Every structure is written in C-alpha cells, then in structure tokens.
Amino acid sequence: MRTSTGIRLLQSQSSFSRSMPLTHNVRRSTRFLPRYYSTHPPQAKLNTPIDYSTTPILCHSTSSALSNHELPPDIRAGTTKRMNLFQSINDALSLALQRDENALLFGEDVAFGGVFRCSMGLAEQFGSERVFNTPLSEQGIIGFAIGAAAEGMKAIAEIQFADYVYPAFDQLVNEAAKWRYRDGENGRGLGGLTVRMPCGAVGHGALYHSQSPESLFTHIPGLRVIMPRSPIQAKGLLLSAIQSPDPCIFMEPKALYRAAVEQVPLEHYTLPLSVAEIVKPGKDLTLVSYGHPMYTCQAALEAAERDLGVSIELIDLRTVYPWDKETVLQSVRKTGRCVIVHESMVNAGVGAEVAASIQGDQQTFLRLEAPVKRVAGWAIHMPLMFERFNVPDVARVYDAIKNSIEY
Amino acid sequence: MNTQRIGGRLFRDARASGLFLRSRGCGRCMGRGYSSLSQKPGAAGVRFPGAVNSKFTSTLQFEHPSTYTAIPTYRAMSPEGDLIDPEFTPASDELALEMYVNMVKVSIMDVIMFDAQRQGRLSFYMPSQGEEGTCVGSASALEKDDVVFSQYREAGVFMQRGFTWEDFMSQLFANRKDPGKGRNMPVHYGSRELNIHTISSPLATQIPQASGAAYALKMQRLANPNIPPRVVACYFGEGAASEGDFHAALNIAATRSCPVIFICRNNGYAISTPTLEQYRGDGIASRGTGYGIDTIRVDGNDIWAVRAATQKARSLALTDGGRPVLLEAMSYRISHHSTSDDSFAYRARVEVEDWKRRDNPIVRLRKYLEKRGAWDEEKEKELRIKVRKEVLRAFADAEKEKKGSLKSMFEDVYAEMTPELRGQMEELRGVMERYPEEYDVGEFEGGVAGLRG
C-alpha cells in the first residue's frame, strides 16, 4: 500500500537524508527519492510497513495520552502536544535544563542541535556553558561526565551512536558503575550521570549505525539501562533517568525519532524506572519486548489474535536492567507461554536473561505450556543489504507465537 | 516536519567540505554553519580554520623533536639543600617541618606495611619511596576545598591533607572502619572530608574525570560567586599518560577551559617498562603545549620546586575563568612497583642504591632544615622512633578490628538495593545457614545474621 503517508513514513524512518547547508530556516526538502530496499513484498500480509499513524502503541489523541494511570493527576488534567520522539527528547532535555541549573548537556555536535536534532535550540536557550560540543572522543565525553557528576552536576552526555560507545566502555563499566560501591561510606554516588545514545536498526545503518548494545550494559551491576518505545515514554523515562540516584544508560531507538508521533503531555512528568508496563492485557501468551520491536510485536499479535483466536499479553520492559522480573513472571504464570523479542543478537541478549528467569522460577516453571521462545537478531553483524532479514519482523514474531500456541 | 540533515560519523569527513565550518570558540556563533574567517587583503595566504596563525613557507621541511631543546627541569633548591632560585620564597620553618614530618611518616609506613604484606598480614601494598616530595609538596600548595583525583602512589597527598593513621590502616586491613567498606584492594584510599575521590585501579580513568570535575567547580562558581575559587588536582604516572584517557582529558580540559592541574609523576618506570619503551618524545611535558596547555617540568626530589610550581599552577588554573595546567615532576621510583613486584628482575640493584644515596626528597629537605638550624640528628631519631610506634600501634589496632557486615557486599551497587540483590542476599544466607561448617564468618560483624534485612 503506497499511500502518500506510507511513502513519507518510509522516508522518515531513515535517519540520514541528503546533506543540506545549515541555515536558520531548514526548509523541508520536496525531493523524493524512492528507496527500493525499504519496500515490502507485494503479496505480504504480515511484513507490511508499520503504520505509525494507527498503531495502538502510540497515543494519537489527547484523551488517550492523558488516560495513562502512571501520570500524576495534575499532568492528566493538563495539555498535550503532538511530538515525534526526537521532539519529546528535546522537550525533556529542555525541562531538565530549566529545572536544575546544575544540569549540563554535551557531546559531539550537540550545540547546533545534534545530528538527530534532539538538542535543537537548547544551546541558544541555556547558553554555551551548559550546552556544548566536546572534542570527538567518547572516552573523554564519559570520563568528563563522570567527573562533573561526581562534583554535583547533572551531566547529560550524548554518545552520537550506540555503536561508538565502546571507547567509553571502560569509563562506564569500571568507573561509573562502580563509583558508589567503591566510595562506600563516603557516599558519593553518580546519580547525576545520564548517558544518551541513539541505537537500533534504521534501514541502512549497516555495521556501525545500527547496533543495540544494551545487553552488554545489563551485565554490569550499578548501571540502569533504559529503552523507551514512544515519545511519551521517552520523555517520562528520560526525566526519571536524569533524576535517578544511579547512573543511567538511556538508549533511543533512532528509527523512531521521526516515525513515532503521539500526543505528549507538555509539563514535567516522570515514569517509573525498573517497572515493566503491560501495554495490552491477554491470557494465552506473554509477548515481551522493548524499544522499536514493540511495534512489530503489536502487528504480529494483532495478526495472531485474528488468525488463531487467542489473547496475547504484550509487555514493554522499558528498563532492561535492573528489570521488572515480577511483572513478567506473573504474566507467564497466568499465560503459560512466552515469546521475547529484541533487535540485538540472540546470544546472551536480554531475552536470555528473561527466558532463564522464567525457567528458573519454581512457580513459573510449573506453569509453562511451551518452551520460551526468543525472536531476535541473528548472531551476526548488521549487514547493509540484508538488514530486513536480520531484524525480527512481523512474520518471525507471528511464527514464534503460532509455534508456542500450537506446541 | 523538517528535513533531517546528515546524521553521523559516516559523514564527519564532510566537515572538510565547508558545511560544518565553525569559528574558534564555538557557541558564539551558535546555529551558524559558516565560519566568519575570511581572507584579509594582503594576508600571507588563506587562513585555514584548523590553524589560523600558521604562515606559509616555501621551504619543504619537517619538524623534528631534535629541533627543540628538552623542556628544562625547574629547581628551587640544590641537592645540598641550598635555595638556588632568587625569586623563590620558602614557606615558614613551621610548614617546612610539617612537610618534612609527613614525608618521613609516609616513608616509614611504607617500610612497615611492605614487610607486613611479605608476612602475609595484608594482601597487597604499594610504597612510594622517592616520590614523597612530589606528593607532599604539591598537596601543600592546594586549598582544602580543592578536589583531588589520584592514581595510587600518592600516600603523601593523603598524609599532607590530613589522613590519620587509623584512616590508612582501616583501609589497608579492610576492616569495619574502612569507609570503602572493605571492598577495595589496599592503598585504594578515598575521603569525602578531604575532597579526594576514591582511588580505582584502572589507570588514567581519573584524568578525564578530573577535567569534568574542574568544569563542575567552574560552573558552580559562575552560578554562585560567593564560593571560593577551587581547582582540581589530578595525579598520574608517566605510564598512565600513554592511555587514551590522558589524551581525551587534556584535550577536553583545554577546549572547555577547565581549572585543573594535571600532575604527572615521572619516576622512570611503569612496573618493568622503562620510559624508553613508554614514549619517544620529550617526556610528558612536551605534550602539554600540543594541547594548548601551560606546562612546566620540575625536579620531583625538590619539594620547594614542586610546591612553588603547584602554587603558580593553581593561580594559572584560575585565570580567565579557568584553564588547565600540566606539571611533570621528575623522580625515580626507588621502591618496587608493588608487593607483587621484584624490580631487581629488570633493573640493577646498584642503580636503585645509587638513586637512594645520590638524591631523594627527604634528605634534601632535611639538609635545608639543618642549615637553618631547625633540625638535627637528635630530632631525627626522636621522630623516627615516635612515628614507628604510632604506625605499629595503628597497625595492631586495625588488624584486630572486626571486618564489616556481610551485608555491605550487596549494598551501594545501586542507591537502593534492588529486589534482585535482596533475593541474592537471601540466597547466600540460606546456603550459609544450611552449611555452617563450610563458611568462616567469625571475623565479620554480625556473622551470617549480617545478611538479614
């Protein structure tokens, strides 16, 4: 279905477009280049493009946005604005900088607005002392952020792509994560540290613009690892991460920066960390995911419920570590079946921890009706031309649901 | 919706295409994509944004290190204890004596604790013989609100800032009085009260942290001018300066104008690796100017030179709202690298003995004090006996002290213990209670019960 909306959405899923000289008024390009590698097979029933304008994952109306029971009463009585994910991140950053004069925002190219526009207008609004570019050095950015946080600042550091976080891995693993533990009764923690990074597949990011290294960080005691699924979630979870007394790794699915648009409450609000959310209740199977694949899961469960006449519970982990084990276990005790979906590779991924926890829990083990199934990236690097066969698609999630139900 | 500009590193080279030109001092031209640099009539050529003050030359010639003389080493006092810098005003005899005593204290503690480790009474130790002057001298020039990041061979800094024998010993024996709660290896000291961040083993990680901390101090003073001006002092060895974090740190400190003093202890060795295998430039100091940083090299065995240079560095670091300074203190690592190292496997005993005899910071300051009539053999003897007693008493007390509660294993990973950690603590307690003969918990406060709650 190539509606004009569909075309725009296909385009907007890309993170890169043609380069333009930067001016104060960036005009919308009217040039359209079809991207044949993003189209879907003509006969496809499952693997059709996600329609972000209708998916129930997003709140398309003010009333649905404000009916969220996790929001405080004053927010639920407030107003909303249509925002995509980068705009909601920008909004959250702006509120954080407003709220606390000790908040700093820095990284490569953040001053002019960031390569994904998340920091647009913030340097002008808050000054170049608080929103600034750093030299091109990830270990420097994170080391600097740790030091600033250790001396009482709220350091919001950006790593331009999650793929480039590895030079800072030592700083995150050996320093940030262990800071409070080794300082003991001196009591100096690194709650002021938040590290943002765009992650995930984007259609044509290949090896170094597609990675989701969250499971590497979930193996590190001391860090909180968060990945939102939508603009509302991104704003609330990012503001929580910034306030959290622990260092947080905040991963932003870059494919959603423009694609995911919903009504986002305007005021400052937070959403709880380490709490999973039952996005859709069900009774026959538990589908667990987080980040971008939540949309794939939603499409697959709609098809599966229609075709197989079952009821599926969809859970968004939101914080992948320390994660909300209890919500998932309770759901699986009820449904007896579980499918876990994530984009990063299957081996030792977040799904491994979830599956092992389900199997290892005495009560849940007894309730299992089928093997726990993981749908994830293959154990390969992200190949440019083969991305759509690597990222879990609707067909693979559907198939896993079907297998589990028919087991 | 706006059209998105290129995102990402793939296109970073595109900066050279002119799309990304920015004038120096980003932030002043926020949101402008074009540089304000223009060619002036009659200029010596195009002013490249990457090096605006470079003139053209028609001579093809490479720069070579040998073109430059080595950066000189500043001395205020001769090895005989005579002041040789006419500009230099020494501190009062009272402070000189305090510094002398602190150096002696560190050196005696080093000998005793090294032997204690050899007897198996603590797991590890790192002495700092030959570098007492660098540490005590620089620390004496700092204010108590200045923040310190150290590597691990800076016992003199802790001593000069007010660490007590009990503080040292509690940490070394990892007992219940150790603020680190017995989690860290010996010599990984830290003190909130003294504004010294807890030491971690990974080398050089503290250097960019010091840059960030310095930026925080600068911002806090901007927000509240009533706060007295503060700097960060960051210590590291010449081996650690080979790490990428050193490069990252000096560069970001320069671009963000951070009030930080980088103090490099160049003692000639990184474990067994001599400096000849560590670098081929003129030490660490020669790198400073490459980052646009004020730099000085001093004689680390001359406590007055170190103190004077640090004082000056501190005032420089606070100039114009803040800027970094690099100080390289030259010394010789007289002791083994640590208790896990026998340095005679890679250097001649005679070389070490020679250094010990020829020049060391304690002897040099002693000569200075004796020439002023402020010190003599009698006082020396008294001091050494007294210090030895103090160390041994603190040693015995700390060794006898109980270890902390087992619960602290699981605490402070996060600000609050997570359900997962509570579950694991319960699990461990269950096993210990079911197999009491398999676990020796007598030395821990509260024993197995410490794992409750």
Side-chain angles (χ1 to χ4, degrees), chain B residues 376-423:
Chain B
D376 54 39
E377 186 59 39
E378 190 57 33
K379 287 191 168 116
E380 180 75 13
K381 233 165 134 169
E382 254 175 66
L383 172 70
R384 290 185 172 272
I385 289 165
K386 178 171 154 284
V387 169
R388 223 187 127 70
K389 270 190 187 150
E390 284 173 357
V391 174
L392 290 171
R393 192 176 316 119
F395 176 121
D397 290 351
E399 199 176 26
K400 279 201 295 276
E401 193 60 68
K402 279 224 176 230
K403 306 300 181 200
S405 159
L406 287 169
K407 189 180 182 177
S408 77
M409 261 174 82
F410 293 97
E411 289 172 323
D412 302 329
V413 175
Y414 294 94
E416 279 186 32
M417 216 186 283
T418 60
E420 176 182 54
L421 288 169
R422 286 196 183 283

Short mmCIF file of all heavy atoms in Angstrom, two decimals, chain B residues 376-423:
data_model
loop_
_atom_site.label_atom_id
_atom_site.label_comp_id
_atom_site.label_asym_id
_atom_site.label_seq_id
_atom_site.Cartn_x
_atom_site.Cartn_y
_atom_site.Cartn_z
N ASP B 376 67.97 18.50 63.65
CA ASP B 376 69.27 17.89 63.93
C ASP B 376 69.11 16.38 64.10
O ASP B 376 67.99 15.86 64.09
CB ASP B 376 69.90 18.52 65.19
CG ASP B 376 68.96 18.45 66.39
OD1 ASP B 376 68.27 17.41 66.53
OD2 ASP B 376 68.89 19.44 67.15
N GLU B 377 70.22 15.71 64.33
CA GLU B 377 70.25 14.25 64.43
C GLU B 377 69.33 13.76 65.57
O GLU B 377 68.64 12.75 65.42
CB GLU B 377 71.70 13.80 64.67
CG GLU B 377 71.89 12.28 64.64
CD GLU B 377 71.47 11.64 63.31
OE1 GLU B 377 71.73 12.25 62.25
OE2 GLU B 377 70.88 10.55 63.35
N GLU B 378 69.35 14.51 66.68
CA GLU B 378 68.55 14.13 67.85
C GLU B 378 67.06 14.13 67.51
O GLU B 378 66.34 13.17 67.79
CB GLU B 378 68.85 15.16 68.97
CG GLU B 378 68.29 14.78 70.33
CD GLU B 378 68.80 13.42 70.81
OE1 GLU B 378 69.96 13.04 70.51
OE2 GLU B 378 68.00 12.73 71.47
N LYS B 379 66.63 15.23 66.86
CA LYS B 379 65.22 15.35 66.49
C LYS B 379 64.84 14.25 65.49
O LYS B 379 63.74 13.70 65.54
CB LYS B 379 64.96 16.72 65.85
CG LYS B 379 64.98 17.87 66.85
CD LYS B 379 64.45 19.14 66.20
CE LYS B 379 64.18 20.23 67.22
NZ LYS B 379 65.05 21.40 67.03
N GLU B 380 65.76 13.96 64.60
CA GLU B 380 65.53 12.93 63.59
C GLU B 380 65.24 11.58 64.26
O GLU B 380 64.30 10.87 63.92
CB GLU B 380 66.75 12.83 62.67
CG GLU B 380 66.63 11.79 61.56
CD GLU B 380 65.71 12.23 60.41
OE1 GLU B 380 65.37 13.42 60.34
OE2 GLU B 380 65.35 11.36 59.59
N LYS B 381 66.10 11.24 65.23
CA LYS B 381 65.98 9.97 65.93
C LYS B 381 64.63 9.88 66.66
O LYS B 381 63.92 8.89 66.55
CB LYS B 381 67.11 9.88 66.98
CG LYS B 381 67.93 8.61 66.84
CD LYS B 381 69.16 8.79 67.62
CE LYS B 381 69.54 7.64 68.50
NZ LYS B 381 70.92 7.89 68.98
N GLU B 382 64.35 10.96 67.37
CA GLU B 382 63.09 11.03 68.12
C GLU B 382 61.88 10.82 67.20
O GLU B 382 60.98 10.05 67.50
CB GLU B 382 62.95 12.43 68.75
CG GLU B 382 63.17 12.49 70.23
CD GLU B 382 63.12 13.94 70.70
OE1 GLU B 382 62.02 14.54 70.60
OE2 GLU B 382 64.17 14.48 71.10
N LEU B 383 61.91 11.55 66.09
CA LEU B 383 60.80 11.49 65.14
C LEU B 383 60.61 10.06 64.64
O LEU B 383 59.50 9.53 64.63
CB LEU B 383 61.05 12.43 63.96
CG LEU B 383 60.05 12.31 62.80
CD1 LEU B 383 58.68 12.86 63.20
CD2 LEU B 383 60.54 13.05 61.55
N ARG B 384 61.71 9.43 64.25
CA ARG B 384 61.60 8.10 63.65
C ARG B 384 61.09 7.07 64.65
O ARG B 384 60.28 6.21 64.30
CB ARG B 384 62.94 7.68 63.04
CG ARG B 384 63.25 8.50 61.79
CD ARG B 384 64.48 8.08 61.04
NE ARG B 384 64.52 8.84 59.78
CZ ARG B 384 63.93 8.44 58.64
NH1 ARG B 384 63.30 7.28 58.61
NH2 ARG B 384 64.00 9.19 57.57
N ILE B 385 61.54 7.20 65.91
CA ILE B 385 61.06 6.28 66.94
C ILE B 385 59.56 6.49 67.18
O ILE B 385 58.79 5.54 67.23
CB ILE B 385 61.87 6.47 68.25
CG1 ILE B 385 63.29 5.92 68.05
CG2 ILE B 385 61.19 5.77 69.43
CD1 ILE B 385 64.28 6.36 69.11
N LYS B 386 59.17 7.77 67.26
CA LYS B 386 57.78 8.10 67.54
C LYS B 386 56.86 7.61 66.40
O LYS B 386 55.82 6.99 66.66
CB LYS B 386 57.67 9.63 67.70
CG LYS B 386 56.28 10.15 67.94
CD LYS B 386 56.33 11.64 68.31
CE LYS B 386 55.06 12.38 67.96
NZ LYS B 386 54.86 12.71 66.56
N VAL B 387 57.27 7.89 65.18
CA VAL B 387 56.44 7.52 64.04
C VAL B 387 56.30 5.99 63.95
O VAL B 387 55.20 5.46 63.74
CB VAL B 387 57.02 8.08 62.71
CG1 VAL B 387 56.32 7.49 61.50
CG2 VAL B 387 56.89 9.61 62.70
N ARG B 388 57.40 5.31 64.14
CA ARG B 388 57.37 3.85 64.09
C ARG B 388 56.37 3.28 65.11
O ARG B 388 55.59 2.39 64.79
CB ARG B 388 58.78 3.33 64.40
CG ARG B 388 59.21 2.21 63.48
CD ARG B 388 60.53 1.59 63.89
NE ARG B 388 60.38 0.15 64.02
CZ ARG B 388 60.21 -0.67 62.99
NH1 ARG B 388 60.15 -0.19 61.76
NH2 ARG B 388 60.08 -1.96 63.17
N LYS B 389 56.42 3.85 66.31
CA LYS B 389 55.50 3.41 67.36
C LYS B 389 54.05 3.66 66.94
O LYS B 389 53.19 2.79 67.10
CB LYS B 389 55.77 4.19 68.65
CG LYS B 389 56.79 3.52 69.55
CD LYS B 389 56.82 4.23 70.90
CE LYS B 389 57.94 3.70 71.78
NZ LYS B 389 58.43 4.74 72.69
N GLU B 390 53.81 4.87 66.45
CA GLU B 390 52.44 5.23 66.04
C GLU B 390 51.91 4.27 64.97
O GLU B 390 50.77 3.80 65.05
CB GLU B 390 52.41 6.66 65.47
CG GLU B 390 52.50 7.74 66.54
CD GLU B 390 52.64 9.14 65.91
OE1 GLU B 390 52.72 9.24 64.66
OE2 GLU B 390 52.66 10.13 66.67
N VAL B 391 52.76 4.00 63.98
CA VAL B 391 52.33 3.12 62.88
C VAL B 391 52.02 1.73 63.42
O VAL B 391 50.98 1.15 63.12
CB VAL B 391 53.41 3.02 61.78
CG1 VAL B 391 53.01 2.00 60.72
CG2 VAL B 391 53.63 4.37 61.12
N LEU B 392 52.93 1.21 64.24
CA LEU B 392 52.75 -0.16 64.74
C LEU B 392 51.50 -0.27 65.61
O LEU B 392 50.80 -1.27 65.57
CB LEU B 392 54.00 -0.63 65.50
CG LEU B 392 55.21 -0.87 64.57
CD1 LEU B 392 56.48 -1.13 65.39
CD2 LEU B 392 54.95 -2.04 63.62
N ARG B 393 51.23 0.80 66.39
CA ARG B 393 50.03 0.77 67.23
C ARG B 393 48.78 0.78 66.35
O ARG B 393 47.87 -0.04 66.54
CB ARG B 393 50.02 1.95 68.21
CG ARG B 393 48.94 1.80 69.28
CD ARG B 393 48.95 2.90 70.32
NE ARG B 393 50.31 3.21 70.78
CZ ARG B 393 50.89 4.42 70.64
NH1 ARG B 393 50.22 5.42 70.08
NH2 ARG B 393 52.12 4.62 71.07
N ALA B 394 48.74 1.67 65.38
CA ALA B 394 47.58 1.75 64.49
C ALA B 394 47.42 0.44 63.71
O ALA B 394 46.30 -0.04 63.48
CB ALA B 394 47.74 2.92 63.53
N PHE B 395 48.55 -0.10 63.32
CA PHE B 395 48.59 -1.37 62.59
C PHE B 395 47.92 -2.46 63.43
O PHE B 395 46.99 -3.15 62.98
CB PHE B 395 50.07 -1.69 62.33
CG PHE B 395 50.36 -3.01 61.67
CD1 PHE B 395 51.02 -3.02 60.45
CD2 PHE B 395 50.03 -4.22 62.27
CE1 PHE B 395 51.32 -4.22 59.84
CE2 PHE B 395 50.33 -5.43 61.66
CZ PHE B 395 50.98 -5.43 60.44
N ALA B 396 48.37 -2.60 64.71
CA ALA B 396 47.84 -3.64 65.59
C ALA B 396 46.35 -3.45 65.83
O ALA B 396 45.58 -4.41 65.78
CB ALA B 396 48.61 -3.63 66.91
N ASP B 397 45.94 -2.20 66.07
CA ASP B 397 44.52 -1.92 66.30
C ASP B 397 43.68 -2.29 65.08
O ASP B 397 42.63 -2.92 65.21
CB ASP B 397 44.31 -0.43 66.62
CG ASP B 397 44.88 -0.05 67.99
OD1 ASP B 397 45.27 -0.98 68.74
OD2 ASP B 397 44.95 1.16 68.28
N ALA B 398 44.15 -1.89 63.92
CA ALA B 398 43.38 -2.12 62.69
C ALA B 398 43.29 -3.61 62.38
O ALA B 398 42.27 -4.11 61.90
CB ALA B 398 44.01 -1.38 61.52
N GLU B 399 44.36 -4.31 62.67
CA GLU B 399 44.40 -5.75 62.38
C GLU B 399 43.42 -6.51 63.27
O GLU B 399 42.80 -7.47 62.84
CB GLU B 399 45.83 -6.26 62.59
CG GLU B 399 46.11 -7.58 61.91
CD GLU B 399 47.57 -8.02 62.07
OE1 GLU B 399 48.22 -7.62 63.05
OE2 GLU B 399 48.04 -8.76 61.19
N LYS B 400 43.29 -6.03 64.50
CA LYS B 400 42.40 -6.69 65.47
C LYS B 400 40.93 -6.39 65.19
O LYS B 400 40.06 -7.15 65.58
CB LYS B 400 42.72 -6.18 66.89
CG LYS B 400 43.92 -6.86 67.52
CD LYS B 400 43.90 -6.74 69.04
CE LYS B 400 44.03 -5.32 69.53
NZ LYS B 400 45.44 -4.84 69.61
N GLU B 401 40.67 -5.25 64.57
CA GLU B 401 39.30 -4.77 64.36
C GLU B 401 38.50 -5.78 63.53
O GLU B 401 39.04 -6.41 62.62
CB GLU B 401 39.37 -3.43 63.62
CG GLU B 401 38.09 -2.65 63.58
CD GLU B 401 37.58 -2.28 64.96
OE1 GLU B 401 38.23 -1.45 65.65
OE2 GLU B 401 36.53 -2.83 65.33
N LYS B 402 37.22 -5.92 63.84
CA LYS B 402 36.36 -6.79 63.04
C LYS B 402 36.24 -6.27 61.62
O LYS B 402 36.41 -5.07 61.36
CB LYS B 402 34.96 -6.84 63.67
CG LYS B 402 34.88 -7.81 64.83
CD LYS B 402 33.60 -8.63 64.75
CE LYS B 402 33.54 -9.69 65.86
NZ LYS B 402 33.23 -11.01 65.39
N LYS B 403 35.90 -7.17 60.71
CA LYS B 403 35.58 -6.75 59.35
C LYS B 403 34.12 -6.29 59.34
O LYS B 403 33.36 -6.60 60.26
CB LYS B 403 35.76 -7.90 58.37
CG LYS B 403 37.14 -8.56 58.42
CD LYS B 403 38.27 -7.59 58.10
CE LYS B 403 39.63 -8.29 58.14
NZ LYS B 403 40.75 -7.33 58.31
N GLY B 404 33.73 -5.61 58.30
CA GLY B 404 32.36 -5.07 58.23
C GLY B 404 31.32 -6.18 58.09
O GLY B 404 31.65 -7.36 58.00
N SER B 405 30.06 -5.75 58.09
CA SER B 405 28.95 -6.70 57.95
C SER B 405 28.92 -7.28 56.53
O SER B 405 29.21 -6.58 55.56
CB SER B 405 27.64 -5.96 58.24
OG SER B 405 26.56 -6.66 57.66
N LEU B 406 28.57 -8.56 56.44
CA LEU B 406 28.49 -9.22 55.13
C LEU B 406 27.49 -8.52 54.21
O LEU B 406 27.59 -8.59 52.99
CB LEU B 406 28.07 -10.68 55.30
CG LEU B 406 29.14 -11.62 55.88
CD1 LEU B 406 28.53 -12.96 56.26
CD2 LEU B 406 30.27 -11.82 54.87
N LYS B 407 26.55 -7.81 54.81
CA LYS B 407 25.52 -7.13 54.01
C LYS B 407 26.14 -6.11 53.04
O LYS B 407 25.60 -5.86 51.96
CB LYS B 407 24.53 -6.43 54.94
CG LYS B 407 23.31 -5.88 54.24
CD LYS B 407 22.37 -5.20 55.21
CE LYS B 407 21.13 -4.71 54.47
NZ LYS B 407 20.16 -4.11 55.39
N SER B 408 27.27 -5.56 53.47
CA SER B 408 27.83 -4.49 52.62
C SER B 408 28.33 -5.02 51.27
O SER B 408 28.60 -4.25 50.37
CB SER B 408 28.94 -3.72 53.36
OG SER B 408 30.13 -4.48 53.38
N MET B 409 28.43 -6.33 51.16
CA MET B 409 28.66 -6.94 49.84
C MET B 409 27.65 -6.47 48.81
O MET B 409 27.97 -6.25 47.66
CB MET B 409 28.43 -8.45 49.94
CG MET B 409 29.62 -9.31 50.09
SD MET B 409 29.03 -11.00 50.37
CE MET B 409 28.71 -11.52 48.70
N PHE B 410 26.39 -6.40 49.27
CA PHE B 410 25.28 -6.17 48.35
C PHE B 410 24.82 -4.71 48.33
O PHE B 410 24.03 -4.33 47.50
CB PHE B 410 24.08 -7.06 48.74
CG PHE B 410 24.35 -8.53 48.55
CD1 PHE B 410 24.76 -9.32 49.62
CD2 PHE B 410 24.22 -9.12 47.29
CE1 PHE B 410 25.02 -10.67 49.44
CE2 PHE B 410 24.48 -10.46 47.10
CZ PHE B 410 24.88 -11.25 48.18
N GLU B 411 25.33 -3.93 49.27
CA GLU B 411 24.89 -2.54 49.35
C GLU B 411 25.70 -1.65 48.41
O GLU B 411 26.83 -1.99 48.06
CB GLU B 411 25.06 -2.02 50.79
CG GLU B 411 24.06 -2.62 51.76
CD GLU B 411 24.38 -2.24 53.20
OE1 GLU B 411 25.59 -2.17 53.53
OE2 GLU B 411 23.43 -2.05 53.98
N ASP B 412 25.11 -0.52 48.07
CA ASP B 412 25.79 0.53 47.30
C ASP B 412 26.09 0.17 45.84
O ASP B 412 26.79 0.90 45.15
CB ASP B 412 27.10 0.99 47.97
CG ASP B 412 26.88 1.50 49.38
OD1 ASP B 412 25.79 2.05 49.63
OD2 ASP B 412 27.78 1.34 50.21
N VAL B 413 25.59 -0.98 45.38
CA VAL B 413 25.68 -1.26 43.95
C VAL B 413 24.78 -0.23 43.26
O VAL B 413 25.15 0.42 42.29
CB VAL B 413 25.23 -2.69 43.62
CG1 VAL B 413 25.23 -2.91 42.11
CG2 VAL B 413 26.15 -3.70 44.31
N TYR B 414 23.58 -0.10 43.83
CA TYR B 414 22.66 0.99 43.47
C TYR B 414 22.39 1.78 44.74
O TYR B 414 22.69 1.32 45.85
CB TYR B 414 21.35 0.42 42.90
CG TYR B 414 21.55 -0.30 41.59
CD1 TYR B 414 21.75 -1.67 41.55
CD2 TYR B 414 21.58 0.41 40.39
CE1 TYR B 414 21.98 -2.32 40.35
CE2 TYR B 414 21.81 -0.23 39.18
CZ TYR B 414 22.01 -1.59 39.17
OH TYR B 414 22.23 -2.22 37.98
N ALA B 415 21.80 2.94 44.59
CA ALA B 415 21.48 3.77 45.75
C ALA B 415 20.59 2.98 46.71
O ALA B 415 20.73 3.07 47.93
CB ALA B 415 20.78 5.05 45.30
N GLU B 416 19.66 2.20 46.14
CA GLU B 416 18.83 1.31 46.96
C GLU B 416 19.01 -0.11 46.47
O GLU B 416 19.14 -0.35 45.27
CB GLU B 416 17.35 1.70 46.81
CG GLU B 416 16.96 2.87 47.67
CD GLU B 416 15.47 3.11 47.61
OE1 GLU B 416 14.70 2.13 47.45
OE2 GLU B 416 15.08 4.29 47.70
N MET B 417 19.01 -1.05 47.39
CA MET B 417 19.17 -2.44 47.00
C MET B 417 17.99 -2.86 46.12
O MET B 417 16.83 -2.64 46.48
CB MET B 417 19.25 -3.32 48.24
CG MET B 417 20.22 -4.47 48.07
SD MET B 417 20.21 -5.62 49.44
CE MET B 417 21.15 -4.72 50.64
N THR B 418 18.27 -3.46 44.99
CA THR B 418 17.20 -3.89 44.09
C THR B 418 16.60 -5.21 44.59
O THR B 418 17.25 -5.93 45.35
CB THR B 418 17.74 -4.11 42.66
OG1 THR B 418 18.77 -5.12 42.72
CG2 THR B 418 18.34 -2.84 42.08
N PRO B 419 15.38 -5.53 44.17
CA PRO B 419 14.79 -6.81 44.56
C PRO B 419 15.70 -7.99 44.20
O PRO B 419 15.82 -8.94 44.96
CB PRO B 419 13.48 -6.86 43.76
CG PRO B 419 13.14 -5.44 43.46
CD PRO B 419 14.46 -4.72 43.35
N GLU B 420 16.35 -7.89 43.06
CA GLU B 420 17.26 -8.95 42.64
C GLU B 420 18.37 -9.15 43.67
O GLU B 420 18.69 -10.28 44.06
CB GLU B 420 17.88 -8.59 41.28
CG GLU B 420 18.91 -9.59 40.80
CD GLU B 420 19.55 -9.19 39.47
OE1 GLU B 420 20.08 -8.06 39.37
OE2 GLU B 420 19.52 -10.00 38.54
N LEU B 421 18.96 -8.04 44.11
CA LEU B 421 20.06 -8.14 45.08
C LEU B 421 19.56 -8.66 46.43
O LEU B 421 20.25 -9.44 47.08
CB LEU B 421 20.75 -6.78 45.23
CG LEU B 421 21.61 -6.38 44.02
CD1 LEU B 421 22.05 -4.93 44.12
CD2 LEU B 421 22.83 -7.28 43.90
N ARG B 422 18.35 -8.22 46.82
CA ARG B 422 17.79 -8.75 48.07
C ARG B 422 17.63 -10.26 47.97
O ARG B 422 17.96 -11.00 48.90
CB ARG B 422 16.41 -8.11 48.35
CG ARG B 422 16.54 -6.70 48.82
CD ARG B 422 15.27 -6.16 49.46
NE ARG B 422 15.52 -4.77 49.79
CZ ARG B 422 16.23 -4.38 50.83
NH1 ARG B 422 16.75 -5.27 51.66
NH2 ARG B 422 16.44 -3.09 51.06
N GLY B 423 17.15 -10.71 46.84
CA GLY B 423 16.96 -12.14 46.61
C GLY B 423 18.28 -12.89 46.70
O GLY B 423 18.36 -13.97 47.29
#
